[in-house]
Each structure stands twice: as structure tokens, then as C-alpha cells.
Amino acid sequence: MIKKGTIIAVVIALLTALAACGKSAEPSSSSSAGGEEAKKKVIVGTDAAFAPFEYMDKGKIVGFDVDLLDAVMKEAGIDYELKNIGWDPLFAALQSKEIDMAISGITINDKRKQTYDFSIPYFESTHMIMVKENSPIKNALDLKGKVIGVQNATTGQEAVEKLLGKDNKNIKKFENTVVAIMELLNGGVDAVVTDNAVANEYVKNNPDKKIKTIADPDHFESEFYGLMFPKGSDLKPKVDEALKKLIKSGKYAEIYKKWFGTEPKVDNLLK
Ligand code: ARG
């Protein structure tokens, strides 16, 4: 007897193949057909390996940032498309204006502000240490002499460099945070330093992995996320205005509660 699951799988495969056919048969360009040039979609880039802010779920980019972006763009009346292009390429693509803006849990800091523009802050974050449950590491100072994993070119890397020294060979840089956490599971690193909400989300979703998080407010500062633009982008004022409206109207709080289960402290954002 053929199993029901097998039949369903075959039907899904056929449908997927059919859908793909339909797509490639379509004309590749639909502009310039009817005189008036179609309004260009704003391209937003992200690195969708940073749950709960942006991650892939059944082939779709989802997360707090994704919902917030959608609300902002609707409020501002901007047609957009979100693309998962990875963390390091994000910065280059913005600079070359290959993409128009980025949302990716990106911390607003002075160094980045020299090259990019940022929206008003939309989320407060700090760093956290992730270790195996039986690790001897208890705080940031215990990271000395240990092998630490970070995502390359993040503020997490900077926070660890501040503690251990910039060219410390014990700081292992990974392309994304998911890979860094995998190294922790494999024993390739003794700890991972990343944004607190991301560390907590991983531990919550993976109790079987026996990982715990350690906060250390004495050594990790508070920072704020913003949407990032090429310098001088005319999207910034529109996005700022929409963001402010959503924060004041309670729509921001609604999205925040959906992802974090608690009420946000919006006063810190509107300062
Ligand atoms: N907040 C940190 C930074 O801006 C890490 C962000 C990483 N985001 C991501 N989607 N991988 O450096």
C-alpha cells in the first residue's frame, strides 16, 4: 500500500515544479510597457540568521524586524522587497546602493554613522555570553584565555575585543551567528558573545542543547538598533516619521509583544 505521506510529498513536488515553470515562462520585465514607468520597489537587505529578529522559516524571512519593517513601509506608503543577502554583503551593498536600506538588528554606532545613515532607534540591546550549562565561565572577565566565537564585524566582536585585545587569536569570527552557536555545540569555541535577545531566544527554543546565557552589565553596554541607509538617503525621513507614529500609536508595542511576550519600554526609543 502507498502511504498517504508519500502521495502528499509527490503532489507537493509536482505543484512546486509547476509553479517554477509558470515563473520562468513569465516575461522578465514588465516595465516600460504602458508609457508610465512603474514605480521602483525599494530593496531592503537583511541577514536572516538572527532569530528572533530575522530568520528563515519554511522558506520565508520572518521575525520582529520583518514585522516592524512591514508596518513601517505600509505606514510610509513605500512598496518594498526584503532580500536575505547575508551580514557582510549588507554593508557593501548599501554603500554601492545595490540595496536601498537594511534592517538586521543593526546597532547604531559612531563608526557606522561615518558611512551610513540610521533611522531613529527601534530596539535596545546589550551583549550576552552563551556557554554550555557545565561551563566554568561565570562572567565577562572569565572569557580571558578562552576561545570565543562571535559573528564577524558585529558589535559583539568589538565587545570581546575590548575585553581580550583586538588581535587576540582566541577570538573566532564567523559569517553568521547560527554558525558561531554551532561551533559552541561542537566544542570549537568555549563561549559565544551575541545580542541578548538572540542568545535568550536560542536557549528558549533549544532546551535539549544544554546552553545557558550569562549577562554582565558591568562589561557589556546598552546599544540601540536602527534601520540603515546609504548616506543622504531620502528614505530616512519617511521611515523615521512612520516609525515614530507606530511607536506612539501602540502598533510597535503590539509587534513587540508578539515576539517578546512583554511590554516594550518605548520611552528609551523616543528620547
Ligand atoms: N547588533 C549587532 C551589530 O549590529 C549584531 C547584528 C547582527 N545581525 C544579524 N542579522 N546577523 O553588530
Side-chain angles (χ1 to χ4, degrees), residues 55-67:
Y55 59 101
M56 298 307 295
D57 187 25
K58 302 182 193 86
K60 271 180 63 185
I61 312 172
V62 298
F64 172 78
D65 281 356
V66 179
D67 285 354

Side-chain angles (χ1 to χ4, degrees), residues 17-269:
L18 246 143
C21 282
K23 245 192 208 147
S24 56
E26 253 171 49
S28 59
S29 161
S30 56
S31 67
S32 74
E36 202 182 308
E37 190 72 36
K39 222 165 114 202
K40 236 185 99 215
K41 256 191 195 169
V42 164
I43 306 296
V44 186
T46 194
D47 168 36
F50 206 59
F53 295 100
E54 45 270 324
Y55 59 101
M56 298 307 295
D57 187 25
K58 302 182 193 86
K60 271 180 63 185
I61 312 172
V62 298
F64 172 78
D65 281 356
V66 179
D67 285 354
L68 183 65
L69 173 74
D70 193 61
V72 164
M73 298 308 246
K74 277 206 179 103
E75 177 66 45
I78 302 171
D79 195 15
Y80 75 99
E81 188 185 334
L82 182 61
K83 283 191 179 166
N84 181 18
I85 67 171
W87 179 251
D88 290 328
L90 206 62
F91 291 81
L94 260 192
Q95 221 181 340
S96 66
K97 301 201 176 146
E98 222 171 289
I99 61 173
D100 303 296
M101 55 189 268
I103 188 161
S104 209
I106 307 170
T107 300
I108 305 168
N109 66 22
D110 288 340
K111 204 160 94 199
R112 290 174 182 162
K113 274 204 257 177
Q114 291 173 8
T115 318
Y116 307 95
D117 279 349
F118 281 94
S119 69
I120 60 163
Y122 72 84
F123 191 88
E124 185 169 3
S125 174
T126 187
H127 289 106
M128 248 190 176
I129 305 165
M130 300 174 75
V131 289
K132 290 200 172 145
E133 269 172 11
N134 58 6
S135 167
I137 296 169
K138 298 266 174 300
N139 54 48
L141 295 181
D142 289 343
L143 296 176
K144 295 216 166 101
K146 297 281 190 291
V147 180
I148 317 302
V150 295
Q151 181 177 2
N152 187 50
T154 56
T155 51
Q157 177 184 331
E158 274 170 30
V160 177
E161 282 175 348
K162 224 164 132 187
L163 288 161
L164 305 187
K166 203 162 161 40
D167 293 314
N168 196 310
K169 294 277 178 295
N170 281 339
I171 305 174
K172 301 267 179 270
K173 298 158 203 153
F174 297 96
E175 183 191 347
N176 65 51
T177 302
V178 171
V179 182
I181 296 173
M182 263 161 58
E183 276 297 296
L184 177 63
L185 300 178
N186 296 338
V189 299
D190 301 312
V192 164
V193 172
T194 186
D195 298 27
N196 59 337
V198 172
N200 286 331
E201 179 78 5
Y202 183 85
V203 168
K204 191 182 86 193
N205 292 338
N206 300 278
D208 54 310
K209 298 286 197 282
K210 302 208 178 334
I211 298 287
K212 65 178 178 187
T213 57
I214 303 169
D216 189 339
D218 291 339
H219 294 97
F220 297 130
E221 286 161 18
S222 148
E223 50 184 49
F224 289 91
Y225 296 167
L227 288 96
M228 196 166 71
F229 310 90
K231 265 235 174 292
S233 165
D234 55 8
L235 288 169
K236 175 184 155 54
K238 294 177 194 156
V239 164
D240 278 350
E241 200 194 327
L243 204 46
K244 255 182 235 159
K245 264 197 196 147
L246 297 177
I247 293 171
K248 285 181 184 154
S249 73
K251 177 75 189 166
Y252 171 90
E254 194 185 292
I255 299 169
Y256 188 100
K257 266 185 275 179
K258 170 183 164 191
W259 288 98
F260 300 103
T262 55
E263 203 67 52
K265 291 192 203 104
V266 295
D267 293 351
N268 286 356
L269 303 178

